[in-house]
Amino acid sequence: MVDTAGIENEFSLASFLEETHKDYEQTQRDLKEIDILIKQSAAEVERLAQRNSQVTSYTRQLQTNFETLPREDIKEAYEALNDVQQRLFTMRGQLEKLQSDQRNLERLAEFQRKIIELTDGTASLPSSGGRRRATGDQPNVIRVIQTEEAVRQGLVRKMHDSVASSISNFILQAEICQRFFDVNPDRARTELNALKSSAGSTFSNVKDFIFDLRPMMLDDLGVIPTLRRYAESFQEKNGLPVPITVTGVERRLESHIEVTVFRNVQELLQNALNHAQATQIQIQIDMASEQVTAVVEDNGTGFNVEDIFNGNQKTIGLSTLRERTEMLGGELGIQSNLGQGTRVEFSIPIAEDTGF
């Protein structure tokens, strides 16, 4: 009897490998193109910076004879200064975006390279037919890719909804200020104050965005201080009480364990807020000698646990949490029922002497 499922898996993995190789090659081409654009933009920024320095110096010289010079000369000088500064600001923004895109492409290329190595290494040749046979690791690889894409989509949405739209508003407000400088100074000051307020708000959003991506204090201070800070920030932004209780001996753990604990708790808090509509969430962390255990409990809508893991609900979050935890030799358990809240507990073994 023909094993149709096995054949489908073989074709699926072969197709997946082929597409991944193509994507990796395209990413490499994109990196070469963006490197050229960065060099061109950097040269233009340097040229505009020099021009800005010259025009600024000339404008300062005019200020010494401000009262005797013709108004048209003064206007021309300031218009030239404004034009070069605006072009310099735009080009610097373009350069920063290109550099950011380059970093993202480099991370994507590294991720694709690892996926290729992983799939090539976990695939074995069949006894006949010359095709590769899919192993049990294929679902894990696919889930990694799905999770990576979900994270990227979330980052894109955040960047578009907050930072990108705010920068667009900055440009608009700056243009309004320019128009009112000569004809209505009071209105110009009002617009500048509004611009300053918007910049402060955006700066705060960017800090939160960076903290969500990778809090620096996780590397500097460890997982417990970072979780306390994250819980405080989460409570301030969403108005939900999030008490955190820590038992055992608070200490540094290996970096990959600290990252996993933080990411797991972070995702569970977001799930409780976005999907369970919880009004109360609590966190418990136990730093025992041989393992770290975390519990996140909420009073939200709850769900059927079996539906999450048998594919009846379209979610990869909790399945990924379980796989991430089990890869480190840990365990994750979920208690939940519709209308009765959710309790998620996971534990990860730790070495007694980690050197941290």
Side-chain angles (χ1 to χ4, degrees):
M1 186 174 181
V2 177
D3 183 5
T4 57
I7 294 174
E8 289 176 358
N9 280 340
E10 291 170 16
F11 277 116
S12 177
L13 182 57
S15 176
F16 168 74
L17 280 170
E18 183 179 355
E19 288 299 319
T20 304
H21 276 285
K22 288 180 180 178
D23 290 343
Y24 179 71
E25 291 170 359
Q26 182 59 50
T27 302
Q28 293 299 321
R29 288 193 292 270
D30 291 342
L31 278 169
K32 290 179 181 178
E33 291 177 5
I34 205 169
D35 184 62
I36 295 172
L37 291 173
I38 285 174
K39 289 178 180 177
Q40 292 174 345
S41 297
E44 181 64 12
V45 166
E46 178 65 23
R47 188 188 71 80
L48 288 172
Q50 293 177 358
R51 174 62 178 160
N52 178 62
S53 178
Q54 293 170 355
V55 176
T56 301
S57 176
Y58 176 69
T59 305
R60 287 174 180 165
Q61 291 176 8
L62 289 181
Q63 289 176 350
T64 59
N65 301 312
F66 203 75
E67 296 179 356
T68 60
L69 287 172
R71 180 178 177 83
E72 192 62 31
D73 290 353
I74 298 173
K75 182 180 178 182
E76 256 181 46
Y78 277 97
E79 284 178 350
L81 178 61
N82 178 69
D83 178 66
V84 72
Q85 288 181 342
Q86 192 169 29
R87 289 165 58 194
L88 179 59
F89 175 80
T90 301
M91 284 304 303
R92 279 176 173 166
Q94 179 177 315
L95 178 59
E96 289 174 1
K97 183 181 183 304
L98 287 170
Q99 290 170 336
S100 175
D101 290 345
Q102 183 185 50
R103 289 191 294 269
N104 289 334
L105 281 173
E106 287 171 346
R107 285 194 288 267
L108 177 59
E110 178 65 14
F111 175 75
Q112 290 169 335
R113 185 185 63 78
K114 289 180 179 178
I115 290 296
I116 291 170
E117 290 178 355
L118 177 62
T119 48
D120 281 343
T122 56
S124 58
L125 290 173
S127 56
S128 63
R131 297 191 188 99
R132 291 182 179 270
R133 177 168 299 166
T135 69
D137 288 328
Q138 185 186 5
N140 290 338
V141 173
I142 294 173
R143 190 174 298 281
V144 168
I145 295 172
Q146 290 174 327
T147 304
E148 179 79 7
E149 287 306 306
V151 169
R152 289 182 183 278
Q153 289 171 359
L155 295 179
V156 168
R157 282 195 298 270
K158 283 185 177 180
M159 289 295 290
H160 180 271
D161 294 341
S162 60
V163 180
S165 61
S166 295
I167 291 176
S168 297
N169 289 334
F170 291 166
I171 296 172
L172 178 61
Q173 287 177 304
E175 291 175 350
I176 293 173
C177 290
Q178 287 177 335
R179 294 192 187 102
F180 284 106
F181 264 130
D182 293 331
V183 297
N184 192 338
D186 290 337
R187 176 66 185 275
R189 279 192 290 270
T190 301
E191 293 296 337
L192 279 173
N193 287 332
L195 181 59
K196 180 181 178 182
S197 176
S198 297
S201 177
T202 301
F203 179 68
S204 178
N205 290 336
V206 170
K207 286 204 304 182
D208 290 341
F209 184 73
I210 293 172
F211 188 89
D212 288 342
L213 280 178
R214 174 72 181 188
M216 289 184 290
M217 66 184 301
L218 184 61
D219 298 314
D220 297 336
L221 303 178
V223 65
I224 299 302
T226 305
L227 281 175
R228 287 195 177 106
R229 177 67 189 92
Y230 185 77
E232 291 174 3
S233 175
F234 188 91
Q235 180 171 321
E236 291 170 2
K237 287 190 291 185
N238 303 298
L240 269 68
V242 187
I244 178 169
T245 304
V246 180
T247 57
V249 180
E250 184 176 331
R251 62 195 185 279
R252 294 300 304 268
L253 306 175
E254 292 179 272
S255 176
H256 63 278
I257 295 178
E258 292 191 325
V259 169
T260 301
V261 172
F262 175 76
R263 292 303 183 199
N264 282 6
V265 173
Q266 182 185 37
E267 187 159 347
L268 290 171
L269 288 179
Q270 291 297 333
N271 285 347
L273 174 69
N274 298 328
H275 304 300
Q277 290 81 49
T279 58
Q280 292 180 355
I281 311 172
Q282 59 181 8
I283 306 170
Q284 301 173 42
I285 307 290
D286 179 45
M287 304 278 285
S289 59
E290 298 181 352
Q291 68 178 23
V292 55
T293 302
V295 177
V296 178
E297 192 168 1
D298 68 68
N299 67 343
T301 55
F303 54 87
N304 188 316
V305 178
E306 292 183 0
D307 288 343
I308 293 294
F309 294 105
N310 64 16
N312 290 342
Q313 291 190 14
K314 293 182 179 180
T315 177
I316 60 175
L318 291 175
S319 297
T320 303
L321 285 183
R322 172 174 284 181
E323 290 171 1
R324 182 191 299 161
T325 302
E326 290 177 349
M327 285 175 64
L328 297 179
E331 297 179 348
L332 182 143
I334 303 173
Q335 298 175 15
S336 183
N337 287 296
L338 291 173
Q340 298 182 17
T342 302
R343 184 181 191 273
V344 180
E345 177 177 344
F346 65 90
S347 60
I348 301 173
I350 55 179
E352 291 188 15
D353 183 10
T354 62
F356 288 86

